Each structure stands twice: as C-alpha cells, then as structure tokens.
Amino acid sequence: MRERLEPIAARLGIADLLKKYPYEVSGGQKQRAAVARALITRPRLILADEPTGALDSRATDELLRLFGSINQNGQTILMVTHSVKAASHAGRVLFIKDGEVFHQIYRGNSSENELYQKISNTLTLLATGGDRV
C-alpha cells in the first residue's frame, strides 16, 4: 500500500503529513487525505461530494488535474459540486433542480473555458426561472 500511497500523497501535496495526527493538519489537508484514502484502492467508481470545498486554488487545480488523469485511466468519478470551475473539468455535467435532472452538458470538444461558460449560462437560466435549455 505504501507504494500506492506515496505517489498519490505527493501529487496531492500531503507527503509530509503522513505521520501527523488529524488535529495537527488543516481542513484542506484533511480533505486531500480523504481523497488519497478514496483513491488508494483504485475503485472503479469514486464518489466525490464537494471535493474542492476546503481547498485553496492551487490545491484545487492539482486535485482536478489528478481526477482528470485517473478518469482517463478508466476510473469513473461522480462529483457533486457547486463550483463552476470544478464542473468545467468534467466530461458530462448534470444540473438537478427540485430533485430532477433539469439539463445536461457534454464536454465534447469544448475547452475548460468554453464548458465553464456553458455551465454559467445554464446556472443563470436556472436562477432566473427559465424553462429547460
């Protein structure tokens, strides 16, 4: 397991924390440790609820790159987020309103910036009470 853990911990920027207790680390470091625990067994499906919520921008960028990399290697990631930035890294974005899928966007050939704009436009439509896109 150490062979699996060390590269993940290095990528998440927590390699120096492996011998510390939870009360000795920040909330963002705890969140990155939780991601490492989720990834170490190489599950086929990763459930990520607001994985970037307690992270600074640098750690967020690295986590999203890591998720992209492991997704390209065949692992599926189901991420729940309110972050347009995090969602713009996905291959598919579902918008849920009142418990139902309101709209979905597939990345296709869109860049992160283009997908970010599509997500923002859809959120504006949701906020202003518009009908289905």
Side-chain angles (χ1 to χ4, degrees):
M1 286 308 234
R2 184 156 297 281
E3 288 177 22
R4 289 186 190 180
L5 175 62
E6 289 175 355
I8 293 170
R11 187 105 188 248
L12 291 169
I14 59 169
D16 58 331
L17 305 177
L18 296 179
K19 296 191 186 276
K20 292 190 177 192
Y21 292 98
Y23 65 84
E24 297 178 303
V25 300
S26 72
Q29 291 167 329
K30 288 176 188 173
Q31 191 153 0
R32 287 181 280 161
V35 169
R37 284 192 310 269
L39 298 178
I40 196 164
T41 61
R42 298 184 185 136
R44 291 187 351 203
L45 174 64
I46 297 164
L47 303 175
D49 184 5
E50 295 289 356
T52 61
L55 303 181
D56 62 27
S57 61
R58 186 184 58 76
T60 292
D61 290 343
E62 186 54 40
L63 177 61
L64 294 173
R65 279 193 294 274
L66 176 60
F67 276 2
S69 172
I70 64 174
N71 181 247
Q72 287 177 345
N73 289 327
Q75 288 176 280
T76 299
I77 302 167
L78 176 66
M79 177 172 48
V80 177
T81 186
H82 290 91
S83 166
V84 176
K85 179 179 182 174
S88 69
H89 284 75
R92 178 180 178 198
V93 179
L94 298 175
F95 297 85
I96 299 174
K97 180 179 179 180
D98 299 328
E100 295 183 17
V101 175
F102 173 78
H103 184 61
Q104 63 183 319
I105 300 172
Y106 288 91
R107 170 179 291 286
N109 293 325
S110 299
S111 68
E112 286 174 20
N113 288 336
E114 291 167 334
L115 188 56
Y116 185 100
Q117 190 59 54
K118 289 177 184 179
I119 294 167
S120 294
N121 293 344
T122 301
L123 290 172
T124 299
L125 183 64
L126 273 167
T128 58
D131 288 335
R132 292 192 184 273
V133 178

